Amino acid sequence: MRLFQVGVLLLTLPLFGCKTETPVTEGALRVFITYATFRPKCLTLTVVDVHDASHTVSGEVKVEAGRLSDTRTGVILEQAGWSRDLRVTAEAHEGSCAGPIIARQSAEARFPTENVTDLGLDLRAEDLDDDGYFAAKQPYPGTDCDDDNAAIHPGATELCDGIDNNCAAGETDAPGETPFWVDADGDGHGAVGGLQAFGCVAPAGYAPSDDDCDDTDNDVHPGQAEFRCDGRDDNCDGVTDNDPFLVGTACTAPLGCAGVLTCQSASASTCISSEQPVEHFVDDDGDGQAGYSVGLGCTPPEAGATRMNTDCDEGSLVVRQGRTEACDRLDNDCNGQTDDGVAGCAATSWNEQTELGDVDARFDAVAVYSRGHGWLAGAASQVLHVVDGNVTSVTGCPGEWKSAWAANNGRVFLGSGAGRFGTVRPDELPAPCEDFGSGHAGAINGMVGFENEEDNVVTLYAVTSQGRILRWSYDDGGSTQQQPTVLAQVPANLRAIHGLDVTTLLAVGSETVSGVPRPVVYRASANGTTWTKEDLGVSNASGFLNGVQVLTPRLAYVAGDGALLLEHSRDAWTRLPAPTVAGGATPNLRALRAFGRTALYAVSSEVNDVHFFNGTTWSTVTPSPATLNALGGSGPGDVWATGHHGTLLRWTP
């Protein structure tokens, strides 16, 4: 038998249309390699001797670049030493002959001794997107990880778009990858200066920012509200304990002291100040010097307050630093001593006069209009005009006089138990009193007046036992007079009224509650037409309030039964110490006259003494030969007391 020649001649020819014969005189094996719907970069043909695998030869089958379908022909010639039984394998490669096999077909053939034997091999592979890279499908997978997208294949530019564009290592090989930082506490923020990694998406345990100032606490990171007041920067903005704690921010502490916000606890900050508050004082009595304490503060607790305390009695116009000491039981110069340096003051006694009018005279009202000048009025039509030591009995003023008030020109106004008014002026004496009816029968127990010097009109306010509050405007010198009018009627038996003007009027007396008389105070509105009951804070007290004295718009005193003495300072009523008398009895205070916070006079029912309150303690300043009913005076150095048996006591040092 003839042996094959050494070597194999692989001749590849394109076949177009019909099959062509290859002119070969000796035997040959002609191989037709057909492929369709893909563009192989390389075709190879391998021939193996079935009986001796060491007899193998391969060769490249040339393809026409870019052709989608084709048939290539290879001719296998006789090879010396080989058997005639051959296995012929055609393979298509991706990219190059060294690339992965994407298609393969094998067939066994017997080499002819003469003429040509044809063998057909058909190759199939998928490159659906025609990008030159083949689907990674078995049995011969290519390298294209997405054969539906021509932009995705090995060698493509990797992008950070969530797709493995180059079919290698996901997106980790994308140029210009995003940096990520280790996020140990898992709060979505990487540690400042922490370990860095790159990628299109954050690797596990990494975050896209390196702005976490504490990567050990997942409550601490940018965007977090400051939630602890602890000296830590919870939101990593470079400031510790800012909003809402605002630590270190200037603030105003209690009492107006400048401070800074400081952590009070883990959940709150507070304003802490190193300033020391000081006591402030105001001028309540209008004498130009401040002495009423409005409390501690680094700034004035109220408008006009000062740190200088230069007035030791904010209820008296004759007490303040810089004044000259006078004999009046007041510390006029605020040096801590009373009546010091005033010769003979301590020995000054009360001038006692009795049986004025007659031995049975009872005076229930006194009205002093200047030093040493005043009026006494009482039962049985008793009316006296007093000028120093001279006493003039006034006739023609019939009535049971319960109250009196005198104008600066000396004109006296009287209120009777029958609800009538009387008036007379000193320069008209011995003329009788003018007489006016109030229109009501209740006793006029108290009155106070305010003068208008421009038109000589005096406006009187009076109270009655039937709870009426009357107003009467008297035109001094006028040919006709208006009739008194009722401003209001309250459910009380009213005994006294006082004020500096209509806006400060207070009316006092008693109301009946469950059959028990209770002390009561009514305050006037701005025009005096509305009266409001005050809360005195003494619900257990009983009896009447018999006297009232308004010293300033912010200071007033009332006194009554059961030794009740109340001070109204600013907006509050306070009960003051009660006087005690021999035997321990509780006296009823029948009248009150105040000249300041440290100079209050009262007369009582149990003893005939004149009581004095210096703001702290009570004392007796003079005994009386008879019961006293009324107090008056033009000032702290001109005090009058009157009552039964025609008694008049005066202290006028």
Side-chain angles (χ1 to χ4, degrees):
M1 170 180 179
R2 289 183 58 197
L3 297 179
F4 289 105
Q5 296 178 354
V6 178
V8 176
L9 171 63
L10 294 179
L11 173 64
T12 57
L13 300 171
L15 295 181
F16 302 103
C18 298
K19 176 180 175 182
T20 43
E21 298 291 338
T22 302
V24 179
T25 58
E26 296 184 357
L29 183 63
R30 183 169 52 190
V31 182
F32 294 91
I33 305 172
T34 301
Y35 63 91
T37 69
F38 69 96
R39 309 176 200 275
K41 293 295 184 180
C42 174
L43 292 178
T44 61
L45 188 63
T46 301
V47 182
V48 179
D49 185 342
V50 172
H51 300 291
D52 185 355
S54 65
H55 294 161
T56 301
V57 66
S58 296
E60 179 180 355
V61 179
K62 298 297 185 182
V63 295
E64 187 171 341
R67 186 171 291 278
L68 186 62
S69 299
D70 201 357
T71 298
R72 310 302 290 175
T73 302
V75 178
I76 302 173
L77 301 179
E78 185 179 11
Q79 179 69 41
W82 287 45
S83 75
R84 291 186 180 278
D85 295 320
L86 304 177
R87 181 180 293 108
V88 181
T89 303
E91 295 175 331
H93 295 261
E94 180 187 277
S96 69
C97 292
I101 298 169
I102 55 171
R104 171 186 287 163
Q105 189 172 28
S106 296
E108 290 188 0
R110 188 166 181 81
F111 194 87
T113 58
E114 59 182 359
N115 297 324
V116 175
T117 298
D118 290 337
L119 176 65
L121 297 175
D122 188 23
L123 300 177
R124 292 291 182 264
E126 283 189 10
D127 182 11
L128 300 179
D129 55 12
D130 197 26
D131 60 1
Y133 297 89
F134 293 81
K137 291 184 177 181
Q138 296 297 332
Y140 302 108
T143 60
D144 198 338
C145 54
D146 186 350
D147 203 36
D148 292 320
N149 189 335
I152 299 175
H153 55 76
T157 301
E158 189 62 52
L159 304 174
C160 284
D161 55 3
I163 300 172
D164 184 6
N165 305 94
N166 63 5
C167 300
E171 292 183 307
T172 59
D173 56 346
E177 288 178 314
T178 301
F180 295 91
W181 289 267
V182 66
D183 179 15
D185 57 14
D187 60 6
H189 296 264
V192 175
L195 184 65
Q196 194 174 35
F198 292 86
C200 292
V201 295
Y206 283 76
S209 62
D210 63 339
D211 52 5
D212 195 339
C213 55
D214 185 350
D215 204 34
T216 65
D217 188 340
N218 60 10
D219 286 328
V220 176
H221 55 76
Q224 168 71 277
E226 289 284 331
F227 64 96
R228 295 175 298 206
C229 198
D230 57 359
R232 299 173 65 186
D233 182 11
D234 296 325
N235 58 10
C236 298
D237 63 354
V239 183
T240 59
D241 299 328
N242 49 344
D243 187 33
F245 305 110
L246 302 176
V247 168
T249 303
C251 59
T252 301
L255 304 179
C257 299
V260 294
L261 287 172
T262 305
C263 288
Q264 180 182 30
S265 66
S267 60
S269 59
T270 189
C271 192
I272 301 298
S273 175
S274 60
E275 279 193 279
Q276 293 299 314
V278 297
E279 193 170 12
H280 284 74
F281 305 88
V282 293
D283 178 16
D284 269 1
D285 58 16
D287 63 1
Q289 299 293 320
Y292 180 83
S293 175
V294 289
L296 298 175
C298 294
T299 58
E302 64 179 63
T306 176
R307 299 184 179 195
M308 301 298 294
N309 180 5
T310 55
D311 193 340
C312 53
D313 189 334
E314 275 298 333
S316 174
L317 294 176
V318 298
V319 174
R320 59 177 171 80
Q321 288 185 9
R323 286 195 64 93
T324 300
E325 193 68 24
C327 186
D328 56 7
R329 296 195 176 92
L330 290 167
D331 181 10
N332 305 95
D333 57 6
C334 292
N335 69 348
Q337 301 180 61
T338 300
D339 300 336
D340 58 303
V342 181
C345 181
T348 301
S349 62
W350 287 68
N351 175 35
E352 180 182 308
Q353 294 173 274
T354 59
E355 299 183 11
L356 295 178
D358 61 58
V359 67
D360 295 322
R362 189 191 78 229
F363 297 111
D364 294 316
V366 57
V368 181
Y369 58 92
S370 64
R371 184 178 177 85
H373 293 62
W375 299 85
L376 306 182
S381 304
Q382 290 279 357
V383 178
L384 301 180
H385 183 233
V386 180
V387 178
D388 296 325
N390 300 316
V391 179
T392 302
S393 180
V394 181
T395 59
C397 293
E400 296 290 321
W401 303 115
K402 301 291 186 181
S403 56
W405 179 83
N408 289 329
N409 63 4
R411 177 176 288 280
V412 67
F413 294 89
L414 307 172
S416 80
R420 302 189 67 81
F421 289 100
T423 181
V424 67
R425 203 166 66 190
D427 58 3
E428 296 174 342
L429 296 178
C433 289
E434 296 180 71
D435 181 72
F436 300 90
S438 67
H440 304 281
I444 300 173
N445 296 317
M447 68 173 65
V448 66
F450 307 115
E451 300 180 65
N452 187 334
E453 296 180 357
E454 294 182 0
D455 55 13
N456 294 321
V457 173
V458 175
T459 301
L460 293 163
Y461 292 85
V463 295
T464 75
S465 57
Q466 295 177 341
R468 291 186 179 89
I469 301 173
L470 307 174
R471 181 172 63 195
W472 180 33
S473 293
Y474 179 85
D475 184 1
D476 198 347
S479 57
T480 59
Q481 302 295 338
Q482 299 179 15
Q483 290 297 310
T485 60
V486 178
L487 289 178
Q489 185 169 11
V490 297
N493 183 337
L494 298 177
R495 293 295 180 87
I497 185 171
H498 194 256
L500 306 176
D501 54 31
V502 66
T503 66
T504 59
L505 284 172
L506 295 177
V508 304
S510 174
E511 63 178 351
T512 301
V513 179
S514 300
V516 178
R518 302 289 188 189
V520 68
V521 174
Y522 283 90
R523 182 178 297 276
S525 62
N527 57 11
T529 58
T530 303
W531 293 74
T532 304
K533 186 171 73 171
E534 296 275 283
D535 181 3
L536 303 179
V538 288
S539 58
N540 61 335
S542 62
F544 280 81
L545 288 174
N546 301 309
V548 55
Q549 184 82 37
V550 178
L551 291 177
T552 77
R554 292 178 167 179
L555 180 65
Y557 293 91
V558 296
D561 295 344
L564 183 62
L565 177 65
L566 300 176
E567 177 188 78
H568 184 268
S569 181
R570 298 280 177 121
D571 298 319
W573 287 96
T574 303
R575 189 167 190 165
L576 299 180
T580 57
V581 297
T586 300
N588 294 326
L589 302 181
R590 303 166 67 91
L592 171 73
R593 187 70 172 92
F595 298 102
R597 290 178 178 269
T598 58
L600 282 74
Y601 293 85
V603 294
S604 69
S605 59
E606 296 299 318
V607 296
N608 298 337
D609 300 342
V610 177
H611 308 286
F612 179 77
F613 183 65
N614 66 3
T616 304
T617 58
W618 287 91
S619 61
T620 295
V621 290
T622 187
S624 171
T627 300
L628 299 173
N629 300 324
L631 283 167
S634 62
D638 182 26
V639 184
W640 298 32
T642 189
H644 289 248
H645 303 314
T647 299
L648 173 62
L649 302 178
R650 287 185 293 173
W651 189 64
T652 54

